[in-house]
Amino acid sequence: MKLIKDKIEEIKTNGYPLDFGIVFEHTFENYKKIALYAGLMLLVFTILFGVLIAGVAVSIFGVDTVTESLKPENLKPENFSENFLLIYSVSLILFTCLMSPFQAGFLKMADCGEKGEEFHVSTMFEYYKAPYFKEIFVSTFLITLASSGFSLLLDFSGIKMIGSLIALLISFLTFLTIPLIVFGKLKAVDAIKSSITIVTKQPLLLFGLVFVAGVASMTGLIGFIIGIFFTIPFIYSMNYCIYSTIIGFESESESEKTAT
């Protein structure tokens, strides 16, 4: 961990070199190694989670209530009560926090692909164990609470566009938080602060890389919509390669020195 913190301090002082073309090529090569398996995992678990959520909703509220609430005229935000919005926001934040370790599993898959190691279904649940789960949960909670809080506050003030932009800005500034936790072994708050430090040193270049990754992931909507499940992993490969380029990974000898 000391080496990671030293690297962050060095970045604070001197910044870091970053080449758009090299990172993009690295990302594409990494993505090719995990695309099929990651896409299948995303598709299968999205269906399973969808069925699970639907089953819970029906068992609690009943089929008629759920069907009625899903009608287009009942999905308009102006029809929602303040209590419903509060419950919905809290539920969304908790669901996002609980799903974050699963999403972090794609970073582990990208790492395995990079190193030529095998990855399995269990890889997706690698970070539901200590010490990663707590730090991922806390960091996601803080980030989601901040972005949702600002967004809702400005929405109620009548300036929805600004709220959405601030939420996107917070997400952009903190997009390296999870890699810093799972690979850098930083605590939640340290990872958030370090992500902001890294991103603000090269904001335009990093925004370009993240934007291109987002556009590339959306290409799966062309033709068969199901293809998006196989293009979304490109985002995780991009995040992994950005982290790899900027921070890098400790060798086994370095890890042993740090431990001693």
Side-chain angles (χ1 to χ4, degrees):
M1 186 184 297
K2 183 179 178 182
L3 293 175
I4 296 295
K5 290 185 175 180
D6 289 343
K7 182 69 175 180
I8 300 298
E9 288 301 318
E10 181 183 338
I11 288 173
K12 284 183 181 178
T13 306
N14 304 317
Y16 53 87
L18 194 66
D19 185 279
F20 186 99
I22 291 176
V23 174
F24 184 84
E25 183 178 355
H26 184 191
T27 299
F28 187 68
E29 291 301 316
N30 180 269
Y31 167 72
K32 288 192 297 183
K33 297 174 183 177
I34 70 168
L36 181 59
Y37 198 89
L40 287 172
M41 289 299 98
L42 191 59
L43 175 61
V44 169
F45 282 104
T46 297
I47 293 173
L48 290 177
F49 285 131
V51 171
L52 177 63
I53 292 172
V56 171
V58 168
S59 64
I60 294 175
F61 302 106
V63 177
D64 293 338
T65 302
V66 173
T67 303
E68 181 68 22
S69 65
L70 292 176
K71 290 182 178 179
E73 60 269 22
N74 294 327
L75 293 176
K76 295 179 180 179
E78 58 267 24
N79 294 333
F80 298 154
S81 66
E82 290 184 2
N83 287 336
F84 175 83
L85 288 174
L86 178 61
I87 294 172
Y88 172 78
S89 298
V90 171
S91 300
L92 183 61
I93 290 173
L94 290 176
F95 179 75
T96 302
C97 293
L98 290 172
M99 288 300 298
S100 286
F102 178 78
Q103 294 175 328
F106 288 104
L107 294 173
K108 177 64 176 179
M109 191 177 292
D111 187 49
C112 290
E114 184 74 10
K115 297 174 180 176
E117 299 174 354
E118 291 186 359
F119 41 84
H120 309 281
V121 175
S122 59
T123 303
M124 303 305 304
F125 300 94
E126 181 77 16
Y127 299 117
Y128 276 99
K129 58 187 181 183
Y132 303 106
F133 176 77
K134 184 188 77 171
E135 303 305 329
I136 293 174
F137 186 96
V138 171
S139 65
T140 304
F141 177 79
L142 293 174
I143 294 168
T144 308
L145 184 64
S147 59
S148 299
F150 277 114
S151 182
L152 286 173
L153 182 63
L154 291 170
D155 282 353
F156 282 125
S157 301
I159 43 180
K160 295 183 179 181
M161 182 63 72
I162 301 298
S164 299
L165 288 175
I166 290 178
L168 288 172
L169 177 62
I170 291 173
S171 297
F172 171 61
L173 291 173
T174 57
F175 83 93
L176 288 174
T177 298
I178 304 301
L180 285 163
I181 291 173
V182 300
F183 299 128
K185 296 180 174 59
L186 295 183
K187 298 294 184 181
V189 175
D190 288 336
I192 292 172
K193 292 191 294 185
S194 297
S195 178
I196 294 172
T197 296
I198 293 169
V199 173
T200 51
K201 286 295 182 179
Q202 291 267 27
L204 294 179
L205 187 52
L206 286 173
F207 177 78
L209 288 167
V210 171
F211 179 78
V212 168
V215 172
S217 70
M218 291 298 103
T219 58
L221 291 172
I222 300 173
F224 295 104
I225 296 178
I226 198 173
I228 194 170
F229 291 101
F230 296 90
T231 52
I232 282 179
F234 190 84
I235 294 175
Y236 297 103
S237 285
M238 177 66 79
N239 290 357
Y240 172 83
C241 292
I242 288 173
Y243 177 88
S244 174
T245 302
I246 296 174
I247 302 296
F249 299 94
E250 294 182 14
S251 65
E252 291 185 5
S253 59
E254 288 174 329
S255 298
E256 291 172 0
K257 288 179 182 178
T258 303
T260 56

